[in-house]
Amino acid sequence: MNASQSINYKRIAEAIGYIQSNFKSQPSLEQIAEQVHLSPFHFQRMFSDWAGVSPKKFMQYLSVEYAKQLLQGKEATLFDTAQETGLSGTGRLHDLFVKIEGMTPGEFKNGGENLHINYSFAESPFGEIIVASTGKGICHLAFFADQTEGEALMKARFPNAKYNQLVDEIQQEALFIFHHDWSKLNQIKLHLHGTPFQLKVWEALLKIPQGNLTTYGSIATEIDKPKASRAIGTAIGSNPVAFLIPCHRVIQSTGKLGGYMWGNTRKSAIIGWEAAQLNGEE
């Protein structure tokens, strides 16, 4: 991400934060633009280029009432209809194509000393990311503010693995998802270490169609653990693969966002962006 793109992304993030905090008062285009020190004309164009919709429309997607409508309209049949979503003639890849392969004890033993991991840095609509892969699939994807810190956090997961800064085919196929050209994707695979409970929760997250939301309680019901909402929240919070495992699609039953490992402003941005794509407003 060059200096100009970085500045623009920070402006978009700041604007989303402002909209998120003030959507109840429905701030005008002029008010939002003033917060990021741009003219209304330039801000409208920049925001629409990023989100695919106007700031006013995006504000509706961030509304708690909109979130409640999604929950009321989709939650009852969310998992029943997941397999149908995106699998018609559109050529788009549905998240269920993402498959999890759990790491064996031997692969994770002694800090992953048997693992060979390639990693690279890339841009996304929501900021810079670090993505890492083994020969079996993506093992880590995270947003970061500083490359050095992002690399250190990745290596803390597998301190004894052998690392190579290299963009491989597995990473490229996964990153296509950020660019809407999903027809080029093969079936994405994830190679993850987690407890059986965590893996089950992450697999449930993959069944949430793009542009839809669900609640912690619904995930608990889906995996037959109706009283485990708190433990499920912990498992969601430990998700090692941002966006591909869509933990951002889980919110509180009240319609409020809840937490997000990579920041609530980014969570709002992703939810709003996906809502725009779902409604064909690209």
Side-chain angles (χ1 to χ4, degrees), residues 14-196:
E14 186 176 348
I16 289 170
Y18 178 77
I19 292 171
Q20 183 184 9
S21 299
N22 296 276
F23 71 84
K24 289 183 180 179
S25 64
Q26 295 291 294
S28 66
L29 175 65
E30 289 75 16
Q31 288 174 310
I32 303 170
E34 184 180 358
Q35 294 297 313
V36 293
H37 311 293
L38 289 173
S39 71
F41 172 79
H42 284 97
F43 172 68
Q44 173 100 347
R45 186 173 63 180
M46 179 189 296
F47 195 97
S48 297
D49 285 345
W50 176 82
V53 293
S54 68
K56 182 177 181 179
K57 188 68 175 180
F58 194 87
M59 201 182 315
Q60 295 175 6
Y61 292 146
L62 294 189
S63 165
V64 170
E65 292 307 311
Y66 177 80
K68 286 180 179 178
Q69 289 173 18
L70 277 182
L71 291 175
Q72 291 170 357
K74 303 291 184 180
E75 188 175 14
T77 59
L78 184 63
F79 295 101
D80 294 335
T81 60
Q83 298 213 21
E84 300 174 12
T85 305
L87 293 180
S88 56
T90 64
R92 290 188 171 187
L93 181 73
H94 182 260
D95 300 71
L96 279 178
F97 275 50
V98 181
K99 303 295 183 183
I100 293 177
E101 179 172 337
M103 290 185 181
T104 66
E107 288 170 328
F108 192 69
K109 183 181 178 182
N110 297 327
E113 66 176 10
N114 297 321
L115 290 175
H116 292 263
I117 296 176
N118 294 331
Y119 72 96
S120 61
F121 301 100
E123 299 172 17
S124 83
F126 317 107
E128 291 183 284
I129 56 176
I130 182 170
V131 56
S133 57
T134 70
K136 295 183 179 180
I138 300 296
C139 63
H140 181 79
L141 194 157
F143 298 100
F144 65 86
D146 175 80
Q147 283 194 1
T148 301
E149 181 182 1
E151 187 175 328
L153 290 174
M154 172 194 66
K155 291 183 175 179
R157 296 185 62 84
F158 309 105
N160 297 320
K162 297 177 177 63
Y163 288 92
N164 185 23
Q165 188 169 347
L166 172 71
V167 181
D168 60 27
E169 186 176 356
I170 291 174
Q171 296 168 25
Q172 289 177 326
E173 289 175 347
L175 293 174
F176 274 128
I177 201 169
F178 288 113
H179 302 289
H180 303 183
D181 192 7
W182 298 353
S183 62
K184 294 184 178 180
L185 287 170
N186 294 327
Q187 290 190 353
I188 300 172
K189 291 186 178 180
L190 307 179
H191 190 206
L192 306 179
H193 172 72
T195 66

